[in-house]
Amino acid sequence: MREIFLGIDLGGTEVKAAALNPAGEVLWSGRASTGVPEGREAVLSRIEGLIRRAGRAMEPAPLAAVGIAAPAVIDMDTGTLEHLSNFTAEWDNSPLRADMERRTGLPIFVLNDVRAATVAEQIWGAGRYYQDFISVAIGTGIGGGLVLNGHLYGGSRGAAGEIGHVTMAPDGLPCGCGNIGCLETVASGPAIARAARAAIERGDADLSELAESCTPTPAQVTQAAQRGSESARVILAEAGRWIGLALGNLICVLNPRAVIVGGGVAAAGDLLLDPMRVEIERRTVVFPPARGGVVVVGSPLGGAAGAMGAAGWAMRQGGAP
Ligand SMILES: [Zn+2]
């Protein structure tokens, strides 16, 4: 009997789960709202409920291990969350792995959510074709993961890849991390929404259709651009240019073969990716296209990447075939 691995993607609004066999086929998936304001114990109970539902759905095959991806800095040795973005303070320094092992009796492996998506790209997604790639997730924040020489690179404390917090504007806006002018402050989903709001307040006729929306979402900005709004196109292009600039710096240091772009904002597709490609090419003169260059591709896994990668991580740690 083949064993089943469950991946959980713990997000600020939703918990997603996917049960995979070692071939990467999604055999079951489920979701629940996170309910952060209800407190940590309630959220842990909800995760436990998803694990039990998956276990029942997969019977008689056993769940071999569970991977949990969280938007957190994680102590990889102990499975402790050091800091969890957009959750209450009671989550800081909490032993997620130990708590969930006690609740479920299953082996639990914990990983940062964007690193998990990177693992999914490496095993089943666009990263299958590359030994060296950067994955970047653009959503409410901007995260990244590095695969170097075929291995997920964690850095000294498992936190390598925080591209959202490289400084782009030394005198810019404050970032949630405490720094000023991080990439996240100029190019994330909220930055795109803020730029759209500012354009509307300037009386931009091109975006007037979004004016009733207090803060237009990146998806609305993308739709406006697709309908032909030049202002919306420029806002997405500007975000893409900033991300390309940050990636260009990283590419000069790491010389990857590919950049894989996921996260909710990546649904803008080439409206975002083409300006990124232009800026990367402009800033990586040392690696010209004639000598290989860098491929920039959208993630084929989309919103499932976090949960799939968490399962893939559990599979690797659990010694799957
Ligand atoms: Zn920051």
Side-chain angles (χ1 to χ4, degrees), residues 34-77:
T34 311
V36 172
E38 290 166 48
R40 182 171 177 273
E41 283 299 318
V43 176
L44 294 184
S45 294
R46 219 158 279 138
I47 297 172
E48 180 186 339
L50 276 169
I51 294 171
R52 296 199 183 285
R53 270 171 57 198
R56 283 194 298 274
M58 290 296 99
E59 280 173 357
L63 292 181
V66 180
I68 304 179
V73 178
I74 293 162
D75 182 324
M76 301 292 284
D77 294 329

Side-chain angles (χ1 to χ4, degrees), residues 164-165 175 177 179 182:
H165 301 290
C175 178
C177 75
N179 185 27
C182 290

Side-chain angles (χ1 to χ4, degrees), residues 233-291:
R233 192 193 62 75
V234 167
I235 288 167
L236 291 170
E238 184 71 355
R241 192 179 73 79
W242 281 116
I243 298 163
L245 183 56
L247 282 166
N249 288 336
L250 209 52
I251 288 163
C252 286
V253 176
L254 298 174
N255 186 210
R257 185 70 188 87
V259 174
I260 301 167
V261 187
V265 177
D270 286 340
L271 287 164
L272 189 75
L273 298 192
D274 280 343
M276 277 175 63
R277 292 181 178 112
V278 168
E279 193 65 22
I280 286 172
E281 189 174 333
R282 184 183 290 155
R283 303 292 173 182
T284 56
V285 181
V286 288
F287 306 130
R291 281 190 244 139

Side-chain angles (χ1 to χ4, degrees), residues 45-293:
S45 294
R46 219 158 279 138
I47 297 172
E48 180 186 339
L50 276 169
I51 294 171
R52 296 199 183 285
R53 270 171 57 198
R56 283 194 298 274
M58 290 296 99
E59 280 173 357
L63 292 181
V66 180
I68 304 179
V73 178
I74 293 162
D75 182 324
M76 301 292 284
D77 294 329
T78 62
T80 299
L81 306 181
E82 295 183 1
H83 174 70
L84 193 53
S85 314
N86 303 316
F87 281 65
T88 49
E90 62 178 331
W91 286 87
D92 288 353
N93 301 309
S94 63
L96 182 62
R97 183 166 85 197
D99 284 345
M100 291 313 299
E101 285 185 343
R102 195 179 58 247
R103 280 169 175 261
T104 65
L106 290 165
I108 304 281
F109 300 95
V110 184
L111 182 66
N112 169 275
D113 57 354
V114 185
R115 257 65 83 192
T118 305
V119 169
E121 294 296 346
Q122 187 189 19
I123 306 178
W124 300 297
R128 275 179 296 169
Y129 312 110
Y130 307 108
Q131 280 285 300
D132 299 273
F133 70 88
I134 299 169
S135 84
V136 54
I138 306 157
T140 307
I142 298 179
L146 308 171
V147 169
L148 305 174
N149 289 329
H151 296 286
L152 182 72
Y153 178 72
S156 64
R157 298 190 54 246
E162 291 295 344
I163 189 176
H165 301 290
V166 299
T167 303
M168 292 281 106
D171 304 309
L173 298 170
C175 178
C177 75
N179 185 27
I180 284 171
C182 290
L183 178 62
E184 275 190 17
T185 68
V186 292
S188 61
I192 290 168
R194 200 170 50 240
R197 185 75 239 158
I200 291 164
E201 279 166 10
R202 282 197 308 271
D204 190 313
D206 220 24
L207 285 172
S208 58
E209 60 184 299
L210 301 182
E212 337 64 274
S213 163
C214 176
T215 311
T217 64
Q220 286 174 315
V221 176
T222 297
Q223 286 153 13
Q226 285 163 343
R227 282 196 296 266
S229 160
E230 178 63 12
S231 304
R233 192 193 62 75
V234 167
I235 288 167
L236 291 170
E238 184 71 355
R241 192 179 73 79
W242 281 116
I243 298 163
L245 183 56
L247 282 166
N249 288 336
L250 209 52
I251 288 163
C252 286
V253 176
L254 298 174
N255 186 210
R257 185 70 188 87
V259 174
I260 301 167
V261 187
V265 177
D270 286 340
L271 287 164
L272 189 75
L273 298 192
D274 280 343
M276 277 175 63
R277 292 181 178 112
V278 168
E279 193 65 22
I280 286 172
E281 189 174 333
R282 184 183 290 155
R283 303 292 173 182
T284 56
V285 181
V286 288
F287 306 130
R291 281 190 244 139

